[in-house]
Amino acid sequence: MSSTLVFSNEQPQHQAADTGSQYGGDLLRILKRRKWIIFGTVIVITGLAALFAAFWPATYKASSSLIIATSASDPRLPTGTAPLASLDDRLIDSQVELLGDRPLLRKVVKDLKLYENPEFGGSPAKPASPEAATARIEVAVDRLRGKVNIRRLDRSAVIGIVAESKSAETATRIANKLAAEHIVLQRREALASKRSAIDALVPRVDSMREQAIAADRAVATYRRENNLLGMSEGSDSVEIGRLSGTLADARSSRSAAEARAYGGMVTEGVATSPLLGDLQRQAAEAGKRVADLSTTYGSGYPELVGLRAQLDDLNRRISAETLRAEAQLQSEAMVNRAREGQISSDLGSLRSRSFDQRAASVRLFDLERTAAATNAQYVALLAELKQLDVESGDASVPARVLGRAVAPTSASFPRRPETIAVAFIGSLLLGLILAVVVEQLLDNRIRTAEQIDRLLGIPTLGMLPKVKKRSGTLPHQSLTGRPRSVFSEGVRSLYLDLRVKLPAAGPHVVVVTSPLPGEGKTTVAMSLASAAAVLWRTAVVVDFDLRRPGLLPHDGPRDEGPDLAAYLRGTAELDDILTTHEGAPRISLVAMHGPDEDPAALLASPRVATLLEELRKRFQFIVVNAPPILAVRDAKTLAGLADATLLVVRWNKTHADAVRAAARVFDAPFVGAVINQIDFERHADAAFGDAVQHHYACQGYYLEEAPEEKRRAA
């Protein structure tokens, strides 16, 4: 026989779950169970955010920007070098610091009269004293410093100025005023610095001018005293070289002239006279003619006589011209000798004067170097002074306004739609986190068979519903009065699943216990015996909860006749203490009339084992109602005499810590567990899992009222 789906929760050992789907499904079930935590968190936080956005005073932000002139913006400077980049960073950082400097903020406060604005701690009323006015201004400066954000934008040369105020106009005026006043103050400081530099430079220029004049005067005086006027370095050396060459030429010319004049080299000398050459040519022609005529006509030939007379005349003329040429050569030789002597004398004089001037120029050179250095310094200082004079009228500053602030049209804080949206998303995430935390960490009450399996490693044999109280009817009586109810089906499924776990041969003794009182173990014990009786088994319930007995408040006479305590003490027999249940005639009871004074001594009686052996002979199914495990150790003692022990926990009440502690104290195996008093509708709505989750789909199989009750109602 198979058990009903709703109540059978033992998982097959071979079944493998899809981990990803399982985790996703678990998360969704957790969120469904804890939806009120999520909804409450979202409603509270989002509502508070909406109230905050509605009633919190609006704040506006306006931003302006400055750009700083760096090496990257100057084409004359190389870019990309580490030193220049470092200098640029320092310049920009210094500009950021100057924008937040207290004097600049004080100037903005005074110009915009922020000391009269209540937002900046001011008041329109006139202060009583100058000290109070100063203090009011300083308070406004402190407030302004907290409402202005100045920073460099993304490692660029741009500095952003963001001003915050409750007034959009005030924020805009502050941002623009701060940028403009920074430029003005920078220009004013630059002008003051240049004027100070000029004032410091003028005396130096005057002093250097006097020094340059004195140095030039010293050079001129020394030149005049040492006759060094017009002398330039290297001029004597050039002249000496030129004269040495001229002297060599003169010597060569004089030697050649003397050789021609006195060396017998008349032919060369004569060759220098055109007339002498012409006469010699005529004489040669005449001599040749004379020789030809003498040979042909003889010495008496008239023409021959004339030619000889002409030849004699030519020879006389040649002799005279030769003497004149020789005299000319001698005269030329004398002139060359005189010229050589003059050049040699000039060269000697020049060399002597050069040596003297060189000795005197050593001091001159020193004076000239001093004068040149002094003049160079003077020219540099004069150029610097002129440059400062030119720039003093328009001093440049490294910063200029890049963008002016525009009045914002919407508040920067709180942004109502954004605030509510962020609050909604944040509260939703917080609600989800709280739901998971409450489910996993804070709320460890037992609700599912999976928890039992994770804690104890045992199957959950039954999940019994919470039964509505009916007048004069106990839960176990529904097995006969309402056999198709959810509770009846659940108890029968529990009994059938329990029989599978018990040895095949009977009869069977089952101990029913729980970690703590109030978890319904007595009801489960009575119901389990009723299920056995309904299924045609003889069953008996033994109430071994000697400290708090009470299978049923009205089961039999409570104050008359012997009870279990009398049997254990040996004053009664089994037939004397067996009673029959009114609502379930097949169930027999072994009960206590009331708490015993010494339950430990009763439980230690050897008649406990005798009682169970006698019951095995008479009944097929014996249920022992034992005390809670964490209260006393009776359940552990009784488990040693039974075939199995069934642990009962109460749904949504018993904590996992109690179950874990009970397992450690009991230190014996449980055949299984029963989760009692489950609210099936809540369990299904919260999607805790288990077969109970499908309760709504299976409702048609149950009938909560007996047929006769329906007929009476009709």
Side-chain angles (χ1 to χ4, degrees):
M1 177 179 286
S2 61
S3 59
T4 306
L5 175 64
V6 174
F7 306 102
S8 179
N9 293 281
E10 184 177 359
Q11 298 294 329
Q13 297 298 321
H14 64 276
Q15 184 176 357
D18 184 354
T19 303
S21 300
Q22 178 183 355
Y23 289 162
D26 289 345
L27 179 59
L28 292 177
R29 285 192 290 269
I30 290 173
L31 299 182
K32 183 177 181 181
R33 288 193 293 271
R34 304 296 178 180
K35 57 181 177 293
W36 294 115
I37 294 179
I38 300 174
F39 291 158
T41 304
V42 170
I43 291 172
V44 171
I45 295 181
T46 305
L48 292 176
L51 292 175
F52 171 80
F55 295 102
W56 192 266
T59 302
Y60 298 87
K61 287 184 178 180
S63 59
S64 61
S65 58
L66 298 175
I67 186 169
I68 309 302
T70 61
S71 59
S73 60
D74 191 344
R76 298 172 298 175
L77 298 176
T79 59
T81 59
L84 287 177
S86 177
L87 290 176
D88 290 344
D89 289 339
R90 294 178 189 175
L91 173 62
I92 297 172
D93 292 340
S94 64
Q95 291 294 313
V96 171
E97 293 297 327
L98 289 174
L99 279 165
D101 201 13
R102 198 172 186 87
L104 178 59
L105 298 178
R106 188 180 295 113
K107 183 70 167 55
V108 173
V109 166
K110 291 180 179 179
D111 290 349
L112 298 181
K113 295 184 179 181
L114 297 180
Y115 51 82
E116 296 180 355
N117 192 333
E119 181 182 356
F120 295 88
S123 173
K126 186 176 182 181
S129 63
E131 292 78 9
T134 302
R136 186 170 67 167
I137 291 174
E138 295 304 319
V139 169
V141 170
D142 293 334
R143 295 285 182 89
L144 178 60
R145 175 171 286 181
K147 293 179 178 293
V148 173
N149 182 21
I150 303 167
R151 62 185 181 89
R152 181 180 182 182
L153 302 181
D154 298 331
R155 303 298 300 170
S156 65
V158 179
I159 298 175
I161 304 171
V162 180
E164 178 182 342
S165 175
K166 295 179 180 178
S167 168
E169 181 183 357
T170 302
T172 305
R173 292 172 60 200
I174 290 174
N176 288 329
K177 186 67 175 179
L178 191 58
E181 283 300 323
H182 177 69
I183 302 296
V184 171
L185 289 179
Q186 289 286 292
R187 181 174 290 109
R188 188 177 301 162
E189 290 179 1
L191 288 174
S193 177
K194 287 187 177 182
R195 291 193 186 97
S196 177
I198 291 173
D199 294 341
L201 194 59
V202 167
R204 292 180 58 193
V205 171
D206 294 340
S207 175
M208 192 57 64
R209 181 187 296 112
E210 297 298 330
Q211 294 180 23
I213 293 174
D216 290 341
R217 186 179 293 112
V219 171
T221 301
Y222 188 81
R223 283 181 177 275
R224 185 176 61 254
E225 291 176 351
N226 291 275
N227 197 22
L228 298 176
L229 298 176
M231 190 201 77
S232 61
E233 185 178 357
S235 59
D236 287 347
S237 297
V238 174
E239 185 65 19
I240 289 173
R242 186 183 65 78
L243 288 178
S244 296
T246 304
L247 179 61
D249 292 341
R251 285 177 178 174
S252 177
S253 299
R254 188 261 305 166
S255 297
E258 287 181 348
R260 288 194 299 271
Y262 305 108
M265 299 173 64
V266 177
T267 303
E268 292 183 10
V270 171
T272 59
S273 174
L275 178 60
L276 182 60
D278 184 53
L279 292 175
Q280 288 177 346
R281 185 175 59 255
Q282 292 180 11
E285 291 177 353
K288 182 179 178 181
R289 183 72 176 163
V290 168
D292 291 339
L293 291 177
S294 294
T295 303
T296 305
Y297 298 105
S299 59
Y301 189 65
E303 186 178 354
L304 180 61
V305 174
L307 288 173
R308 286 178 175 170
Q310 185 180 1
L311 181 61
D312 291 339
D313 183 60
L314 289 172
N315 287 330
R316 285 194 301 273
R317 293 177 61 186
I318 289 172
S319 298
E321 185 63 25
T322 300
L323 291 175
R324 189 191 62 79
E326 289 178 353
Q328 184 180 358
L329 289 174
Q330 292 176 359
S331 176
E332 183 179 350
M334 292 178 64
V335 170
N336 286 333
R337 189 179 300 112
R339 179 171 174 268
E340 178 185 356
Q342 183 63 38
I343 293 174
S344 178
S345 175
D346 292 343
L347 182 60
S349 298
L350 183 59
R351 285 177 175 173
S352 176
R353 189 185 68 174
S354 177
F355 290 148
D356 293 340
Q357 286 183 344
R358 285 185 178 276
S361 64
V362 174
R363 172 62 179 165
L364 177 63
F365 292 156
D366 181 61
L367 293 175
E368 288 179 340
R369 282 193 296 270
T370 302
T374 304
N375 281 295
Q377 294 181 7
Y378 170 67
V379 170
L381 289 175
L382 188 61
E384 184 178 356
L385 179 61
K386 289 183 178 180
Q387 184 66 23
L388 289 175
D389 286 336
V390 171
E391 295 179 351
S392 61
D394 184 20
S396 60
V397 294
R400 64 180 178 85
V401 176
L402 180 64
R404 289 179 55 82
V406 179
T409 57
S410 60
S412 61
F413 183 85
R415 295 178 179 268
R416 291 178 174 84
E418 291 85 344
T419 300
I420 295 175
V422 171
F424 175 78
I425 295 173
S427 61
L428 181 60
L429 294 177
L430 179 60
L432 296 176
I433 294 172
L434 288 177
V436 174
V437 170
V438 169
E439 178 77 18
Q440 300 294 332
L441 301 180
L442 301 181
D443 189 358
N444 62 348
R445 290 173 291 181
I446 299 298
R447 296 186 182 89
T448 65
E450 182 183 358
Q451 291 175 285
I452 298 294
D453 181 67
R454 188 167 58 248
L455 290 170
L456 303 179
I458 62 175
T460 300
L461 300 180
M463 301 188 73
L464 304 181
K466 185 176 182 180
V467 180
K468 296 180 181 179
K469 292 184 178 180
R470 296 174 181 267
S471 177
T473 304
L474 295 174
H476 67 274
Q477 294 175 339
S478 63
L479 276 87
T480 55
R482 291 181 297 278
R484 285 181 57 186
S485 66
V486 177
F487 182 82
S488 300
E489 295 287 357
V491 174
R492 282 195 295 270
S493 297
L494 169 62
Y495 173 73
L496 294 173
D497 287 341
L498 179 60
R499 286 191 59 186
V500 175
K501 299 293 182 180
L502 295 174
H508 303 117
V509 177
V510 177
V511 174
V512 178
T513 184
S514 62
L516 295 169
E519 295 178 330
K521 63 179 181 58
T522 302
T523 300
V524 172
M526 291 294 297
S527 301
L528 195 58
S530 298
V534 169
L535 296 177
W536 309 104
R537 299 291 189 274
T538 56
V540 61
V541 180
V542 183
D543 191 3
F544 264 103
D545 194 348
L546 304 177
R547 293 166 179 80
R548 295 180 61 183
L551 291 177
L552 290 174
H554 55 278
D555 279 346
R558 300 297 301 260
D559 300 324
E560 298 178 0
D563 59 0
L564 177 60
Y567 176 85
L568 296 178
R569 289 190 176 93
T571 60
E573 297 301 325
L574 180 59
D575 292 331
D576 299 331
I577 62 174
L578 280 174
T579 61
T580 304
H581 195 278
E582 294 180 358
R586 294 187 180 185
I587 298 177
S588 297
L589 302 177
V590 177
M592 293 281 293
H593 293 322
D596 193 81
E597 295 180 355
D598 192 3
L602 288 179
L603 193 63
S605 172
R607 289 177 65 83
V608 173
T610 303
L611 173 63
L612 294 179
E613 288 299 326
E614 290 185 9
L615 292 176
R616 284 179 185 269
K617 294 176 183 178
R618 298 190 183 190
F619 298 94
Q620 296 173 310
F621 193 68
I622 301 98
V623 181
V624 177
N625 181 37
I629 297 173
L630 296 179
V632 291
R633 297 177 59 85
D634 297 356
K636 184 175 182 180
T637 302
L638 294 170
L641 303 174
D643 298 314
T645 302
L646 193 65
L647 182 67
V648 178
V649 297
R650 185 171 176 177
W651 182 82
N652 204 35
K653 182 178 180 182
T654 304
H655 287 266
D657 296 337
V659 174
R660 195 180 294 110
R664 285 196 297 266
V665 171
F666 193 73
D667 195 22
F670 298 103
V671 69
V674 177
I675 302 179
N676 191 31
Q677 298 189 36
I678 302 175
D679 188 334
F680 274 21
E681 294 183 359
R682 286 181 58 192
H683 192 100
D685 289 339
F688 281 114
D690 302 318
V692 180
Q693 184 170 338
H694 306 284
H695 165 70
Y696 291 117
C698 301
Q699 282 183 340
Y701 282 84
Y702 309 120
L703 185 64
E704 293 299 330
E705 294 183 358
E708 59 272 12
E709 292 178 351
K710 284 191 173 184
R711 285 194 296 270
R712 286 197 300 268

